[in-house]
Amino acid sequence: MPFLLRYDLDRSRPRVGAAFKDLLVRAITPGIVLFLAIYGFGLALMGPLKSWGTAEEPISKNLEASRTSVWDSITMVWSHIGNTEYVIGFCLLMIALVWWRTKEWWYAVIPGIAIALQASIFVAATELTGRPRPQVSKLDPAPPTSSYPSGHVGAATALYLSLALMAHRIDDVVLRRLVQTVCVIIPLLVAYARAYRGMHHVIDIAVGLLNGVLCALMAWLWLRRKEARSS
């Protein structure tokens, strides 16, 4: 069954009990596996791979040296896009809008599942890893979480990639491609801003991107569809 059309080819309303089972088996359980992988890599960064952090510092130093007042202002906006309150607020707005337009709650909740998975994995991994942030001046207030992985990048990636997947239902081809392109670009802007502003190492950002991508995919696949079972 076509990956993007799984919710179009089978629009049947799932039973609540079956939906919760699918959420557990197809999203939460894989999410636990993903957390263990991210946490394990974080422990390695704090142990046998600690030299990687030393290799990353010149990149942060170079970004710090390249700062200008114009780029400070631009990256401040990009960084704020990944703020928790913005991501949650925009996610809830999109869930309400999609639910209203489609009357399919199981489709509308996809971005909510994506950012919930991402946030759970991020919070647990960052608390247990405790990786220090880059040794440069910070342009954003440092949250109480550690540097690894990037929560801003993970949240933006999970939200906007899930919206990019959902945007395939937009009938107008030009508008659909525009929305999908913007949704792909936004997490990359957030990623650059977080590195530029001295908030994360490159590896923290890369793992944040990976966390967001995989959580968006797990959210997209959270519900079994009849064609998927028959195929």
Side-chain angles (χ1 to χ4, degrees):
M1 182 173 72
F3 177 75
L4 284 178
L5 299 181
R6 61 191 318 272
Y7 292 96
D8 299 326
L9 298 177
D10 179 5
R11 295 201 174 193
S12 61
R13 179 184 298 271
R15 298 190 305 274
V16 174
F20 274 115
K21 180 180 179 182
D22 284 352
L23 181 64
L24 176 62
V25 173
R26 299 170 63 89
I28 295 177
T29 299
I32 293 173
V33 175
L34 177 59
F35 157 71
L36 292 174
I38 290 176
Y39 175 49
F41 184 65
L43 290 180
L45 284 176
M46 299 298 290
L49 300 181
K50 199 167 186 177
S51 60
W52 289 20
T54 304
E56 289 179 294
E57 287 296 337
I59 300 175
S60 299
K61 294 287 186 183
N62 289 337
L63 287 171
E64 181 185 34
S66 69
R67 291 174 183 171
T68 65
S69 58
V70 173
W71 278 104
D72 289 355
S73 300
I74 293 174
T75 57
M76 178 182 67
V77 175
W78 293 353
S79 180
H80 286 346
I81 293 175
N83 285 353
T84 301
E85 59 273 16
Y86 177 86
V87 168
I88 293 176
F90 190 64
C91 179
L92 292 176
L93 177 63
M94 294 308 299
I95 289 174
L97 179 62
V98 173
W99 196 338
W100 170 63
R101 290 297 302 271
T102 66
K103 304 302 186 292
E104 299 174 6
W105 64 263
W106 57 95
Y107 185 71
V109 298
I110 289 172
I113 294 173
I115 65 169
L117 284 172
Q118 184 281 145
S120 300
I121 294 168
F122 154 70
V123 169
T126 195
E127 287 294 332
L128 294 172
T129 304
R131 191 184 193 205
R133 295 184 184 275
Q135 296 179 7
V136 297
S137 59
K138 312 295 189 295
L139 297 184
D140 287 334
T145 53
S146 66
S147 186
Y148 173 90
S150 173
H152 279 66
V153 174
T157 305
L159 173 61
Y160 287 99
L161 181 56
S162 62
L163 293 178
L165 292 170
M166 298 173 75
H168 80 279
R169 283 191 176 184
I170 298 176
D171 293 329
D172 187 277
V173 176
V174 174
L175 179 58
R176 179 172 67 247
R177 291 178 178 173
L178 176 62
V179 170
Q180 291 176 326
T181 300
V182 170
C183 286
V184 170
I185 290 175
I186 287 178
L188 300 179
L189 300 181
V190 175
Y192 177 77
R194 297 302 283 174
Y196 175 92
R197 300 177 72 79
M199 305 310 297
H200 294 285
H201 301 278
V202 173
I203 291 178
D204 307 329
I205 291 170
V207 175
L209 277 168
L210 178 64
N211 186 22
V213 168
L214 293 180
C215 286
L217 293 178
M218 287 187 288
W220 183 253
L221 298 170
W222 83 275
L223 185 66
R224 289 175 299 165
R225 299 283 77 192
K226 291 179 180 177
E227 287 79 4
R229 290 197 296 270
S230 62
S231 63

